[in-house]
Amino acid sequence: MRPFDYRAPQDPATAVATVAGRPDAAFLGGGTNLVDHLRLGVAEPGLLVDVTGLVSTEIRDDGGGLWIGAGVTNADLAADERVRARYPVLARALLSGASAQLRNMATVGGNPLQRTRCVYFQDVTTPCNKRSPGTGCSAIGGATRQHAILGASEHCIATHPSDMAVALAALDARVQVLGPDGERTIPFTGLHRLPGDAPERDTELGHGELITAIVLPELPIAARSDYRKVRDRASFAFALVSVAAALEVTGGSITDARIAFGGVAHAPWRAYRAEEALRGATPSDDAFRAAAEAELADAHPQDGIDGGNAFKIPLLARTLTATLRDLAREEA
C-alpha cells in the first residue's frame, strides 16, 4: 500500500472542495470497497478525505416517499420499518448483499459506487482497461462466468456488483449530489454508465461530486415487490443474476411493472422492454417468459475458458419468471 495523506473536514462543502482541488484525492466513507482496493494496489489515491459524520444518517418521510441520508448504513436501512413495508425489494436486496459485519459499515452513499469484482480488475498483474485504460481486457476470452451479457463493449465486460443499486434502479430512485458547482439531483438510472470506450468511468459523477442522499418516490406498486438473487454459494457471494421486481395486477391484467437486473451488465439494468411487454398482459408463466425474451433479445453471452456465461440467459429468464409468478400469486 502506498502512503497517502488523510484529512477529516468539518463540513461537506469543505470535503467537496478538498477532493475537487486534488485530482488524486478520493472520499472515504465506510471504506468496505476502497480499503480492499488500497491493499490490492488497485486504487492509489494521494489523499483520502473522510466524510464519515459529514453526511446525514437520517431516514425521513418525504412527500409520500423516503429521503435517505448518504451516511445511513445498509444494516439500518434494511431494518427500517418504512422500507420493509413500502419498499420490501430494497430491504431484501440489502440483506442479500455481503455479510452482517459489512452491512454495518457500508453506507447508502458508498454502496452504489462500489467497483466491479472482476478478478482481472482486482489483479494488478493483468491488463485491464477499467484499471489501466488502453491496456486491454483480460476477461474477454478468459474466465467469464461472472461477466456481462448486456451492454458490454470490446473494451470491458465487467459487471456492477451492488444488490442495493438494482433495487434502487427498479424503484425510480433519485440521487442528490453536492459538487464543486453546487447541488444537483439525478435519476438513479442515470448514475451508472455502460463501458463503451471509457470503461474506467463507472458513473456520470464528476471528480469531487459527493452523494448526499437517495430519494425514494411515493410508489404504491413497490409495496408488492421482491428481490431474488442467484449466486454460487448461499451467502457472501456476488450475483450471477438477480432480479428486482414490482408488479401491479388489476382486474386480472397486469397494469404496471418495475423490473431491474443485476449481475448481467456494467450497470444495474433497468428492464424497460420487459416492463412494456407485461403491461396489459394476463399474469402467466407464458407472459413472464415473453417479457424475459423481449429484454434479453440483445443479450451477447461471452465465451470463456470456464465455459462462458451463456447459461445466464435461461437462468435470468427463469429467475424473472419465478419472481413475477410469486408476486402475481400475492396479488391474487
Side-chain angles (χ1 to χ4, degrees):
M1 184 183 296
R2 289 179 54 185
F4 54 83
D5 296 328
Y6 171 87
R7 295 181 194 172
Q10 298 301 305
D11 60 84
T14 301
V16 166
T18 303
V19 172
R22 284 272 299 264
D24 63 341
F27 294 115
L28 174 66
T32 56
N33 189 214
L34 178 58
V35 173
D36 281 347
H37 286 172
L38 291 173
R39 291 169 174 158
L40 292 169
V42 171
E44 296 181 328
L47 169 65
L48 289 184
V49 177
D50 195 340
V51 296
T52 306
L54 299 187
V55 288
S56 176
T57 58
E58 180 185 9
I59 305 171
R60 65 171 183 259
D61 288 295
D62 180 72
L66 286 179
W67 185 94
I68 305 162
V72 174
T73 67
N74 284 19
D76 286 345
L77 185 60
D80 187 275
E81 290 299 329
R82 292 163 294 185
V83 173
R84 294 166 66 89
R86 288 147 60 178
Y87 308 94
V89 62
L90 178 56
R92 291 167 188 163
L94 288 161
L95 292 174
S96 75
S99 65
Q101 292 90 340
L102 286 171
R103 292 196 294 269
N104 285 332
M105 289 296 295
T107 62
V108 164
N111 184 285
L113 302 183
Q114 61 182 301
R115 308 205 71 189
T116 182
R117 263 56 177 191
C118 173
V119 294
Y120 303 102
F121 173 76
Q122 294 186 317
D123 180 354
V124 297
T125 67
T126 63
C128 171
N129 287 324
K130 177 177 279 297
R131 175 171 28 78
S132 302
T135 59
C137 176
S138 300
I140 296 175
T144 59
R145 180 175 176 80
Q146 293 283 347
H147 288 78
I149 59 173
L150 292 166
S153 77
E154 61 180 324
H155 302 288
C156 183
I157 59 171
T159 53
H160 183 74
S162 168
D163 296 293
M164 182 180 82
V166 181
L168 293 176
L171 292 171
D172 292 327
R174 302 187 302 277
V175 185
Q176 291 185 345
V177 175
L178 176 64
D181 298 325
E183 297 178 341
R184 67 179 179 128
T185 299
I186 57 177
F188 193 84
T189 50
L191 175 63
H192 299 90
R193 60 185 303 282
L194 296 177
D197 60 1
E200 70 276 12
R201 292 181 56 212
D202 292 340
T203 73
E204 298 293 349
L205 296 182
H207 182 66
E209 286 196 308
L210 175 69
I211 292 178
T212 56
I214 299 288
V215 181
L216 295 177
E218 181 179 18
L219 195 64
I221 187 177
R224 192 82 69 188
S225 62
D226 199 4
Y227 185 76
R228 189 165 296 196
K229 177 178 179 178
V230 181
R231 47 192 164 183
D232 278 331
R233 59 177 186 267
S235 66
F236 204 8
F238 297 96
L240 290 170
V241 303
S242 67
V243 170
L247 194 69
E248 181 180 77
V249 179
T250 304
S253 297
I254 297 170
T255 49
D256 202 0
R258 298 284 193 282
I259 299 169
F261 298 151
V264 293
H266 200 253
W269 187 269
R270 181 67 181 267
Y272 292 112
R273 288 182 183 176
E275 294 175 3
E276 186 58 33
L278 287 170
R279 293 189 180 102
T282 300
S284 68
D285 280 9
D286 287 344
F288 303 150
R289 281 192 290 268
E293 290 170 1
E295 193 63 48
L296 293 168
D298 293 334
H300 291 285
Q302 303 288 330
D303 295 330
I305 58 175
D306 56 353
N309 64 8
F311 71 92
K312 284 192 174 187
I313 294 176
L315 179 61
L316 183 55
R318 292 196 300 271
T319 305
L320 177 63
T321 298
T323 306
L324 294 175
R325 182 193 303 133
D326 288 348
L327 290 172
R329 191 177 295 132
E330 291 179 25
E331 285 272 2

